[in-house]
Amino acid sequence: MPKKKKETVKYSKNDSFENLEAVQKMALNKKGKDDEIVPDISVFLKAEELKGKLCGLYSDKEISSGTVNLMGSVKIDGKELKINVGEDINTEHKDD
């Protein structure tokens, strides 16, 4: 029995974007009773959201770029107290 060749599927962001645009057009031109046009706004908005995600407009991770106040060590009665509060700002976090 001869082996079947595996087909390589090529699907790009552009292909996906074009398909989502087609879905949006169908959603806006959806016909209801008596052939009246009744747009399906929820489908349109979902396709819009997926297009935005595809283009990188939405991010799952919040990136905050605020100021950080650092406090140096404190000396009380000649003893140096090292305050260790919060996280080291040089540490990278990985959410796995």
Side-chain angles (χ1 to χ4, degrees):
M1 182 178 237
K3 290 185 178 180
K4 291 183 181 179
K5 286 185 179 180
K6 290 187 178 182
E7 292 183 29
T8 303
V9 178
K10 293 183 181 180
Y11 194 71
S12 67
K13 285 184 179 182
N14 287 337
D15 294 334
S16 182
F17 196 87
E18 288 172 7
N19 288 338
L20 290 168
E21 283 187 331
V23 168
Q24 284 184 306
K25 288 177 185 175
M26 287 188 283
L28 290 178
N29 295 316
K30 181 182 175 191
K31 291 187 179 182
K33 294 180 180 179
D34 303 323
D35 284 340
E36 61 192 45
I37 294 180
V38 182
D40 191 340
I41 301 301
S42 63
V43 171
F44 177 86
L45 291 175
K46 183 62 180 179
E48 188 67 21
E49 178 185 355
L50 292 172
K51 284 170 45 180
K53 285 182 180 180
L54 185 65
C55 293
L57 297 178
Y58 307 113
S59 177
D60 292 339
K61 296 180 182 178
E62 280 188 32
I63 299 172
S64 62
S65 58
T67 57
V68 177
N69 292 327
L70 298 176
M71 183 174 144
S73 62
V74 177
K75 287 187 179 183
I76 298 178
D77 294 330
K79 292 183 180 181
E80 185 175 347
L81 301 176
K82 292 186 180 179
I83 310 298
N84 187 10
V85 178
E87 298 175 0
D88 185 1
I89 60 172
N90 295 322
T91 305
E92 291 186 23
H93 296 283
K94 292 184 180 178
D95 295 333
D96 293 311

Coordinates of all heavy atoms in Angstrom, one line a residue:
M1 N 0.8 -1.2 0.0 CA 0.0 0.0 0.0 C 0.9 1.2 0.0 O 1.7 1.4 0.9 CB -0.9 -0.1 1.2 CG -1.9 1.1 1.3 SD -2.9 0.9 2.8 CE -4.5 0.9 2.1
P2 N 0.8 2.1 -1.0 CA 1.6 3.3 -1.0 C 1.3 4.3 0.1 O 0.1 4.4 0.5 CB 1.3 3.9 -2.4 CG 0.0 3.3 -2.8 CD -0.2 2.0 -2.1
K3 N 2.3 5.0 0.5 CA 2.1 6.0 1.6 C 1.6 7.2 1.0 O 1.9 7.6 -0.1 CB 3.5 6.3 2.3 CG 4.0 5.2 3.1 CD 5.3 5.6 3.8 CE 5.8 4.6 4.7 NZ 7.0 5.0 5.4
K4 N 0.7 7.9 1.7 CA 0.1 9.1 1.3 C 1.1 10.3 1.7 O 1.7 10.2 2.7 CB -1.2 9.4 2.0 CG -2.3 8.5 1.5 CD -3.6 8.8 2.2 CE -4.7 7.9 1.8 NZ -6.0 8.2 2.5
K5 N 1.2 11.2 0.8 CA 2.0 12.4 1.1 C 1.2 13.3 2.0 O 0.0 13.5 1.9 CB 2.3 13.2 -0.2 CG 3.3 12.6 -1.1 CD 3.6 13.5 -2.2 CE 4.6 12.9 -3.2 NZ 4.9 13.8 -4.3
K6 N 1.9 13.8 3.0 CA 1.3 14.7 3.9 C 1.3 16.1 3.3 O 2.3 16.6 2.8 CB 2.1 14.8 5.3 CG 1.9 13.6 6.1 CD 2.5 13.8 7.5 CE 2.3 12.6 8.3 NZ 2.9 12.7 9.7
E7 N 0.1 16.7 3.3 CA 0.0 18.0 2.7 C 0.4 19.1 3.7 O 0.0 19.0 4.9 CB -1.4 18.3 2.2 CG -1.8 17.4 1.0 CD -3.2 17.8 0.5 OE1 -3.6 18.9 0.7 OE2 -3.8 16.9 0.0
T8 N 1.1 20.1 3.3 CA 1.5 21.2 4.2 C 0.4 22.2 4.0 O 0.1 22.7 2.9 CB 2.8 21.8 3.8 OG1 3.8 20.8 3.8 CG2 3.2 22.9 4.7
V9 N -0.2 22.6 5.2 CA -1.3 23.6 5.2 C -0.6 24.9 5.5 O 0.1 25.1 6.4 CB -2.3 23.2 6.3 CG1 -3.4 24.3 6.3 CG2 -2.9 21.9 6.0
K10 N -0.9 25.8 4.6 CA -0.4 27.2 4.8 C -1.5 28.1 5.0 O -2.5 28.2 4.2 CB 0.4 27.7 3.5 CG 1.7 26.9 3.3 CD 2.4 27.4 2.1 CE 3.7 26.6 1.9 NZ 4.5 27.0 0.7
Y11 N -1.5 28.8 6.1 CA -2.5 29.7 6.6 C -1.8 30.9 7.2 O -1.1 30.8 8.1 CB -3.4 29.0 7.6 CG -4.7 29.7 7.8 CD1 -5.7 29.7 6.8 CD2 -5.0 30.3 9.0 CE1 -6.9 30.4 7.1 CE2 -6.2 31.0 9.3 CZ -7.1 31.0 8.3 OH -8.3 31.7 8.5
S12 N -2.1 32.0 6.7 CA -1.4 33.2 7.1 C -2.4 34.2 7.9 O -3.6 34.0 7.9 CB -0.8 34.0 6.0 OG -1.9 34.5 5.2
K13 N -1.8 35.2 8.5 CA -2.6 36.2 9.2 C -3.5 36.9 8.2 O -4.7 37.2 8.5 CB -1.7 37.2 9.9 CG -1.0 36.8 11.1 CD -0.2 37.9 11.8 CE 0.4 37.5 13.0 NZ 1.1 38.6 13.7
N14 N -3.0 37.1 7.0 CA -3.8 37.8 6.0 C -5.0 36.9 5.6 O -6.1 37.4 5.4 CB -3.0 38.1 4.7 CG -2.0 39.2 4.9 OD1 -2.2 40.1 5.8 ND2 -1.0 39.3 4.1
D15 N -4.8 35.6 5.5 CA -5.9 34.7 5.2 C -7.0 34.8 6.3 O -8.2 34.9 6.0 CB -5.4 33.2 5.1 CG -4.5 33.0 3.9 OD1 -4.6 33.7 2.9 OD2 -3.7 32.1 4.0
S16 N -6.5 34.7 7.5 CA -7.5 34.8 8.6 C -8.2 36.2 8.7 O -9.4 36.2 8.9 CB -6.7 34.6 10.0 OG -7.6 34.6 11.0
F17 N -7.5 37.2 8.4 CA -8.0 38.6 8.4 C -9.1 38.7 7.4 O -10.2 39.2 7.6 CB -6.9 39.6 8.2 CG -7.4 41.0 8.6 CD1 -7.2 41.5 9.9 CD2 -7.9 41.9 7.6 CE1 -7.6 42.7 10.2 CE2 -8.3 43.1 8.0 CZ -8.1 43.6 9.3
E18 N -8.8 38.2 6.2 CA -9.8 38.2 5.1 C -11.0 37.4 5.4 O -12.1 37.8 5.1 CB -9.1 37.8 3.8 CG -8.1 38.7 3.2 CD -7.3 38.2 2.0 OE1 -7.6 37.1 1.5 OE2 -6.4 38.9 1.6
N19 N -10.8 36.2 6.0 CA -12.0 35.4 6.4 C -12.8 36.1 7.4 O -14.1 36.1 7.3 CB -11.5 34.1 6.9 CG -11.0 33.2 5.8 OD1 -11.3 33.3 4.6 ND2 -10.2 32.2 6.2
L20 N -12.2 36.8 8.4 CA -13.0 37.5 9.4 C -13.7 38.7 8.8 O -14.9 39.0 9.2 CB -12.1 38.0 10.5 CG -11.5 36.9 11.4 CD1 -10.4 37.4 12.3 CD2 -12.6 36.3 12.2
E21 N -13.1 39.3 7.8 CA -13.8 40.4 7.1 C -15.1 39.9 6.3 O -16.1 40.5 6.3 CB -12.9 41.2 6.1 CG -12.0 42.1 6.8 CD -11.1 42.9 5.8 OE1 -10.9 42.5 4.7 OE2 -10.8 44.1 6.2
A22 N -14.9 38.7 5.7 CA -16.0 38.1 5.0 C -17.2 37.7 6.0 O -18.3 38.0 5.7 CB -15.6 36.8 4.3
V23 N -16.8 37.3 7.2 CA -17.8 37.0 8.2 C -18.5 38.2 8.6 O -19.7 38.2 8.8 CB -17.1 36.3 9.4 CG1 -18.0 36.2 10.6 CG2 -16.6 34.9 9.1
Q24 N -17.8 39.3 8.8 CA -18.4 40.6 9.2 C -19.4 41.0 8.1 O -20.5 41.5 8.4 CB -17.3 41.6 9.4 CG -16.6 41.5 10.7 CD -15.6 42.6 10.9 OE1 -14.8 42.9 10.1 NE2 -15.7 43.2 12.1
K25 N -19.1 40.9 6.9 CA -20.0 41.3 5.8 C -21.2 40.4 5.8 O -22.4 40.9 5.7 CB -19.3 41.2 4.4 CG -18.3 42.3 4.2 CD -17.6 42.1 2.8 CE -16.5 43.1 2.7 NZ -15.7 43.0 1.5
M26 N -21.1 39.1 6.1 CA -22.2 38.2 6.1 C -23.1 38.6 7.3 O -24.3 38.6 7.3 CB -21.8 36.8 6.3 CG -21.2 36.2 5.0 SD -20.9 34.4 5.1 CE -19.4 34.4 6.0
A27 N -22.4 39.0 8.5 CA -23.2 39.3 9.7 C -24.0 40.6 9.4 O -25.1 40.7 9.9 CB -22.2 39.5 10.8
L28 N -23.4 41.6 8.7 CA -24.2 42.8 8.5 C -25.3 42.6 7.4 O -26.3 43.4 7.5 CB -23.2 43.9 8.0 CG -22.2 44.4 9.0 CD1 -21.3 45.4 8.4 CD2 -23.0 45.0 10.2
N29 N -25.2 41.6 6.6 CA -26.2 41.4 5.5 C -27.1 40.3 5.8 O -27.7 39.8 4.9 CB -25.5 41.2 4.2 CG -24.7 42.5 3.7 OD1 -25.2 43.6 3.9 ND2 -23.5 42.3 3.3
K30 N -27.1 39.8 7.1 CA -28.0 38.7 7.4 C -29.4 39.0 7.2 O -29.9 40.1 7.6 CB -27.7 38.3 8.9 CG -28.5 37.1 9.3 CD -28.3 36.8 10.8 CE -29.2 35.7 11.2 NZ -29.2 35.6 12.7
K31 N -30.2 38.1 6.6 CA -31.6 38.4 6.3 C -32.4 37.6 7.3 O -32.2 36.5 7.6 CB -31.9 38.0 4.9 CG -31.2 38.8 3.8 CD -31.7 38.5 2.4 CE -31.1 39.4 1.4 NZ -31.5 39.2 0.1
G32 N -33.5 38.3 7.7 CA -34.4 37.7 8.6 C -35.7 37.3 7.9 O -35.7 37.0 6.6
K33 N -36.8 37.4 8.6 CA -38.1 37.1 7.9 C -38.4 38.1 6.9 O -38.0 39.3 7.0 CB -39.2 37.1 9.0 CG -39.1 36.0 10.0 CD -40.2 36.0 11.0 CE -40.1 34.9 12.0 NZ -41.1 35.0 13.0
D34 N -39.2 37.7 5.9 CA -39.6 38.7 4.8 C -38.4 39.3 4.1 O -38.5 40.4 3.5 CB -40.5 39.8 5.3 CG -41.7 39.2 6.0 OD1 -42.3 38.2 5.5 OD2 -42.2 39.8 7.0
D35 N -37.2 38.6 4.1 CA -36.0 39.0 3.4 C -35.5 40.4 3.8 O -34.9 41.1 3.1 CB -36.2 39.0 1.9 CG -36.1 37.6 1.4 OD1 -35.5 36.7 2.1 OD2 -36.6 37.3 0.2
E36 N -35.9 40.8 5.1 CA -35.4 42.1 5.6 C -34.0 41.8 6.1 O -33.7 40.8 6.7 CB -36.3 42.6 6.6 CG -36.4 41.7 7.8 CD -37.6 42.1 8.8 OE1 -38.7 42.3 8.3 OE2 -37.3 42.1 10.0
I37 N -33.2 42.8 6.0 CA -31.8 42.7 6.5 C -31.8 43.0 8.0 O -32.3 44.0 8.5 CB -30.9 43.7 5.8 CG1 -30.7 43.3 4.4 CG2 -29.5 43.7 6.5 CD1 -29.8 44.2 3.5
V38 N -31.3 42.0 8.8 CA -31.3 42.1 10.3 C -29.8 41.8 10.6 O -29.4 40.6 10.8 CB -32.2 41.1 10.9 CG1 -32.1 41.2 12.4 CG2 -33.6 41.2 10.4
P39 N -29.0 42.8 10.8 CA -27.6 42.6 11.1 C -27.4 41.8 12.4 O -28.1 42.0 13.4 CB -27.0 44.0 11.2 CG -28.0 44.9 10.6 CD -29.3 44.2 10.7
D40 N -26.4 40.9 12.4 CA -26.1 40.1 13.6 C -24.9 40.8 14.2 O -23.7 40.5 13.9 CB -25.8 38.7 13.3 CG -25.6 37.8 14.5 OD1 -25.4 38.4 15.6 OD2 -25.8 36.6 14.3
I41 N -25.1 41.8 15.1 CA -24.1 42.6 15.6 C -23.1 41.8 16.5 O -21.9 42.1 16.5 CB -24.7 43.8 16.4 CG1 -25.6 44.6 15.5 CG2 -23.6 44.6 17.1 CD1 -24.9 45.2 14.3
S42 N -23.6 40.8 17.2 CA -22.7 40.0 18.1 C -21.7 39.3 17.3 O -20.5 39.2 17.7 CB -23.5 39.1 19.0 OG -24.2 38.1 18.2
V43 N -22.0 38.7 16.1 CA -21.1 38.1 15.3 C -20.1 39.1 14.7 O -18.9 38.8 14.6 CB -21.8 37.3 14.2 CG1 -20.8 36.7 13.1 CG2 -22.6 36.1 14.8
F44 N -20.6 40.2 14.3 CA -19.8 41.3 13.7 C -18.7 41.7 14.8 O -17.5 41.8 14.4 CB -20.6 42.5 13.3 CG -19.8 43.7 12.8 CD1 -19.4 43.7 11.5 CD2 -19.4 44.7 13.7 CE1 -18.7 44.8 11.0 CE2 -18.7 45.7 13.2 CZ -18.3 45.8 11.9
L45 N -19.2 41.9 16.0 CA -18.2 42.4 17.1 C -17.2 41.3 17.4 O -16.0 41.6 17.7 CB -19.0 42.8 18.3 CG -19.8 44.1 18.1 CD1 -20.6 44.4 19.4 CD2 -18.9 45.3 17.8
K46 N -17.6 40.1 17.4 CA -16.7 39.0 17.7 C -15.6 38.9 16.7 O -14.4 38.7 17.0 CB -17.4 37.6 17.8 CG -16.5 36.5 18.2 CD -15.9 36.7 19.6 CE -15.0 35.5 20.0 NZ -14.4 35.7 21.2
A47 N -16.0 39.0 15.4 CA -15.0 39.0 14.3 C -14.1 40.2 14.4 O -12.9 40.1 14.2 CB -15.7 39.0 12.9
E48 N -14.6 41.4 14.8 CA -13.8 42.6 15.0 C -12.8 42.3 16.1 O -11.6 42.7 16.0 CB -14.7 43.8 15.3 CG -14.0 45.1 15.4 CD -13.5 45.5 14.0 OE1 -14.0 45.1 13.0 OE2 -12.6 46.3 14.0
E49 N -13.2 41.7 17.2 CA -12.3 41.4 18.3 C -11.2 40.5 17.9 O -10.0 40.7 18.2 CB -13.1 40.8 19.5 CG -12.2 40.4 20.6 CD -13.0 39.6 21.7 OE1 -14.3 39.5 21.6 OE2 -12.4 39.2 22.7
L50 N -11.5 39.5 17.1 CA -10.5 38.5 16.6 C -9.6 39.2 15.7 O -8.4 38.9 15.7 CB -11.2 37.3 16.0 CG -12.0 36.4 16.9 CD1 -12.8 35.3 16.1 CD2 -11.1 35.7 17.9
K51 N -10.0 40.1 14.8 CA -9.1 40.8 14.0 C -8.2 41.7 14.8 O -7.0 41.7 14.5 CB -10.0 41.7 13.0 CG -10.6 41.0 11.9 CD -11.6 41.8 11.1 CE -11.2 43.2 10.7 NZ -12.2 43.9 9.9
G52 N -8.7 42.3 15.8 CA -7.8 43.1 16.7 C -6.7 42.3 17.4 O -5.6 42.6 17.5
K53 N -7.1 41.1 17.9 CA -6.2 40.2 18.5 C -5.1 39.7 17.5 O -4.0 39.6 17.8 CB -6.9 39.0 19.1 CG -7.6 39.3 20.4 CD -8.3 38.0 20.9 CE -9.0 38.3 22.2 NZ -9.6 37.1 22.8
L54 N -5.6 39.4 16.3 CA -4.7 39.0 15.2 C -3.6 40.0 14.9 O -2.5 39.7 14.7 CB -5.5 38.6 14.0 CG -4.8 38.0 12.8 CD1 -4.2 36.7 13.2 CD2 -5.7 37.9 11.6
C55 N -4.0 41.3 15.0 CA -3.1 42.4 14.7 C -2.3 42.8 15.9 O -1.5 43.8 15.9 CB -3.9 43.6 14.2 SG -4.6 43.3 12.5
G56 N -2.5 42.2 17.1 CA -1.8 42.5 18.3 C -2.3 43.8 19.0 O -1.5 44.4 19.8
L57 N -3.5 44.1 18.8 CA -4.0 45.3 19.5 C -4.4 45.1 20.9 O -4.4 46.0 21.7 CB -5.3 45.8 18.8 CG -5.1 46.3 17.3 CD1 -6.4 46.7 16.7 CD2 -4.1 47.4 17.3
Y58 N -4.6 43.8 21.3 CA -4.9 43.5 22.7 C -3.8 42.7 23.2 O -3.2 41.8 22.6 CB -6.2 42.7 22.7 CG -7.4 43.4 22.0 CD1 -7.9 42.8 20.9 CD2 -7.9 44.6 22.5 CE1 -9.0 43.4 20.2 CE2 -9.0 45.2 21.8 CZ -9.5 44.6 20.7 OH -10.5 45.2 20.0
S59 N -3.5 42.9 24.5 CA -2.4 42.1 25.1 C -3.0 41.4 26.4 O -3.8 42.0 27.1 CB -1.3 43.0 25.5 OG -0.3 42.3 26.2
D60 N -2.6 40.2 26.6 CA -3.1 39.5 27.8 C -2.3 39.9 29.1 O -2.9 39.9 30.1 CB -2.8 38.0 27.6 CG -3.7 37.3 26.6 OD1 -4.7 37.9 26.3 OD2 -3.3 36.3 26.1
K61 N -1.2 40.4 28.9 CA -0.4 40.9 30.0 C -0.4 42.4 30.2 O -0.3 43.1 29.2 CB 1.1 40.5 29.9 CG 1.3 39.0 29.8 CD 2.8 38.6 29.7 CE 3.0 37.1 29.6 NZ 4.4 36.8 29.4
E62 N -0.6 42.8 31.4 CA -0.6 44.3 31.6 C 0.9 44.7 31.8 O 1.7 44.1 32.5 CB -1.3 44.6 32.9 CG -2.8 44.7 32.8 CD -3.5 45.2 34.0 OE1 -2.9 46.1 34.7 OE2 -4.6 44.8 34.3
I63 N 1.2 45.8 31.1 CA 2.5 46.3 31.2 C 2.4 47.7 31.9 O 1.8 48.6 31.3 CB 3.2 46.5 29.9 CG1 3.3 45.1 29.2 CG2 4.6 47.1 30.0 CD1 3.8 45.1 27.8
S64 N 3.0 47.8 33.1 CA 2.9 49.1 33.7 C 4.3 49.7 33.7 O 5.3 49.1 34.0 CB 2.4 48.9 35.2 OG 3.3 48.1 35.9
S65 N 4.3 50.9 33.4 CA 5.6 51.6 33.4 C 5.4 52.9 34.2 O 5.2 54.0 33.7 CB 6.0 52.0 32.0 OG 5.0 52.8 31.4
G66 N 5.5 52.7 35.5 CA 5.4 53.8 36.4 C 6.7 54.0 37.1 O 7.7 53.4 36.9
T67 N 6.7 55.0 38.0 CA 7.9 55.3 38.7 C 8.0 54.4 39.9 O 7.0 54.0 40.5 CB 7.9 56.8 39.2 OG1 6.7 57.0 40.0 CG2 7.9 57.7 38.0
V68 N 9.2 54.1 40.3 CA 9.4 53.2 41.4 C 10.3 54.0 42.4 O 11.3 54.6 42.1 CB 10.2 52.0 41.0 CG1 10.5 51.1 42.2 CG2 9.4 51.2 40.0
N69 N 9.8 54.1 43.6 CA 10.6 54.7 44.7 C 11.4 53.7 45.4 O 10.8 52.7 45.9 CB 9.6 55.5 45.7 CG 8.9 56.6 45.0 OD1 9.5 57.3 44.2 ND2 7.7 56.9 45.4
L70 N 12.7 53.9 45.5 CA 13.5 53.0 46.2 C 14.0 53.7 47.5 O 14.4 54.9 47.5 CB 14.8 52.6 45.4 CG 14.5 51.9 44.1 CD1 15.8 51.7 43.3 CD2 13.8 50.6 44.4
M71 N 13.9 52.9 48.6 CA 14.4 53.5 49.8 C 15.7 52.8 50.2 O 15.8 51.6 50.1 CB 13.3 53.2 50.9 CG 13.7 53.7 52.3 SD 12.3 53.4 53.3 CE 13.1 53.1 54.9
G72 N 16.7 53.6 50.6 CA 17.9 53.1 51.0 C 17.9 52.4 52.3 O 16.8 52.3 53.0
S73 N 19.0 52.1 52.9 CA 19.0 51.5 54.2 C 18.8 52.6 55.3 O 19.0 53.7 55.0 CB 20.3 50.8 54.4 OG 21.4 51.7 54.4
V74 N 18.4 52.1 56.4 CA 18.1 53.0 57.5 C 19.0 52.6 58.7 O 19.1 51.4 59.0 CB 16.6 52.9 57.9 CG1 16.3 53.8 59.1 CG2 15.7 53.2 56.8
K75 N 19.5 53.6 59.4 CA 20.4 53.3 60.5 C 19.6 53.8 61.8 O 19.2 55.0 61.8 CB 21.7 54.0 60.4 CG 22.6 53.4 59.4 CD 24.0 54.1 59.5 CE 24.9 53.4 58.5 NZ 26.3 53.9 58.6
I76 N 19.5 52.9 62.7 CA 18.9 53.2 64.0 C 19.8 52.8 65.1 O 20.2 51.6 65.1 CB 17.5 52.5 64.2 CG1 16.5 53.0 63.1 CG2 16.9 52.8 65.6 CD1 15.2 52.4 63.1
D77 N 20.2 53.7 65.9 CA 21.2 53.4 67.0 C 22.5 52.7 66.5 O 23.0 51.8 67.1 CB 20.6 52.5 68.1 CG 19.5 53.2 68.9 OD1 19.5 54.5 69.0 OD2 18.5 52.5 69.3
G78 N 22.9 53.2 65.3 CA 24.1 52.7 64.7 C 24.0 51.3 64.0 O 24.9 50.8 63.4
K79 N 22.8 50.7 64.0 CA 22.5 49.5 63.3 C 21.8 49.8 62.0 O 20.9 50.5 62.0 CB 21.7 48.5 64.2 CG 22.3 48.0 65.4 CD 21.4 47.0 66.1 CE 22.1 46.5 67.4 NZ 21.2 45.6 68.1
E80 N 22.4 49.1 61.0 CA 21.8 49.3 59.7 C 20.7 48.3 59.4 O 20.9 47.1 59.6 CB 22.9 49.2 58.6 CG 22.4 49.5 57.2 CD 23.5 49.4 56.1 OE1 24.7 49.4 56.5 OE2 23.1 49.4 55.0
L81 N 19.5 48.8 59.1 CA 18.3 48.0 58.8 C 18.2 48.0 57.3 O 18.1 49.0 56.6 CB 17.1 48.5 59.4 CG 17.1 48.7 60.9 CD1 15.8 49.3 61.4 CD2 17.2 47.3 61.6
K82 N 18.1 46.8 56.7 CA 17.9 46.7 55.3 C 16.4 46.3 55.1 O 16.0 45.3 55.6 CB 18.8 45.6 54.7 CG 20.3 46.0 54.7 CD 21.1 45.0 54.0 CE 22.6 45.5 54.0 NZ 23.5 44.6 53.3
I83 N 15.8 47.1 54.4 CA 14.3 46.9 54.1 C 14.2 46.1 52.9 O 14.7 46.5 51.8 CB 13.6 48.3 54.0 CG1 13.9 49.2 55.1 CG2 12.1 48.1 53.8 CD1 13.5 48.7 56.5
N84 N 13.5 45.0 52.9 CA 13.3 44.1 51.8 C 11.8 44.0 51.6 O 11.1 43.1 52.1 CB 13.9 42.8 52.0 CG 13.9 41.9 50.8 OD1 13.5 42.4 49.7 ND2 14.2 40.6 50.9
V85 N 11.2 44.9 50.8 CA 9.8 44.9 50.6 C 9.5 44.9 49.1 O 10.2 45.5 48.3 CB 9.1 46.2 51.1 CG1 7.6 46.3 50.8 CG2 9.4 46.3 52.6
G86 N 8.6 44.1 48.7 CA 8.2 44.0 47.3 C 9.1 43.0 46.5 O 9.8 42.2 47.1
E87 N 9.1 43.2 45.2 CA 9.9 42.3 44.3 C 11.1 43.1 43.7 O 11.0 44.3 43.6 CB 9.0 41.8 43.1 CG 7.8 41.0 43.6 CD 6.9 40.7 42.4 OE1 7.2 41.0 41.3 OE2 5.9 40.0 42.7
D88 N 12.1 42.3 43.4 CA 13.3 42.9 42.8 C 12.9 43.4 41.4 O 12.3 42.6 40.6 CB 14.4 41.9 42.7 CG 15.7 42.5 42.1 OD1 15.7 43.7 41.8 OD2 16.7 41.8 42.0
I89 N 13.1 44.6 41.0 CA 12.6 45.1 39.7 C 13.5 44.6 38.6 O 13.1 44.7 37.4 CB 12.7 46.7 39.7 CG1 14.1 47.2 39.9 CG2 11.6 47.2 40.6 CD1 14.2 48.7 39.7
N90 N 14.6 43.9 38.9 CA 15.4 43.3 37.8 C 15.0 41.9 37.5 O 15.6 41.3 36.7 CB 16.9 43.4 38.2 CG 17.3 44.9 38.3 OD1 16.9 45.7 37.4 ND2 18.2 45.2 39.2
T91 N 14.0 41.4 38.2 CA 13.6 40.0 38.0 C 12.6 39.9 37.0 O 11.6 40.6 37.0 CB 13.1 39.4 39.3 OG1 14.0 39.6 40.4 CG2 12.7 37.9 39.2
E92 N 12.7 39.0 36.0 CA 11.7 38.8 35.0 C 10.8 37.8 35.4 O 11.2 36.8 36.0 CB 12.4 38.4 33.6 CG 13.2 39.5 33.0 CD 13.7 39.1 31.6 OE1 13.1 38.3 31.0 OE2 14.7 39.7 31.2
H93 N 9.5 38.0 35.1 CA 8.5 37.0 35.5 C 8.0 36.2 34.2 O 7.9 36.8 33.2 CB 7.3 37.7 36.1 CG 7.6 38.4 37.3 ND1 7.7 37.8 38.5 CD2 7.8 39.7 37.6 CE1 8.0 38.7 39.5 NE2 8.1 39.9 38.9
K94 N 7.9 34.9 34.4 CA 7.3 34.1 33.3 C 6.1 33.4 33.8 O 6.1 32.8 34.9 CB 8.4 33.0 32.9 CG 9.6 33.6 32.3 CD 10.5 32.5 31.8 CE 11.7 33.1 31.1 NZ 12.7 32.1 30.7
D95 N 5.0 33.6 33.1 CA 3.7 33.0 33.5 C 3.6 31.7 32.6 O 3.4 31.8 31.4 CB 2.5 33.9 33.2 CG 2.6 35.1 34.1 OD1 3.1 35.0 35.2 OD2 2.0 36.2 33.6
D96 N 3.8 30.6 33.2 CA 3.7 29.3 32.5 C 2.5 28.6 32.9 O 2.0 28.6 34.0 CB 4.9 28.4 32.8 CG 6.2 29.0 32.2 OD1 6.2 29.4 31.1 OD2 7.2 29.1 33.0

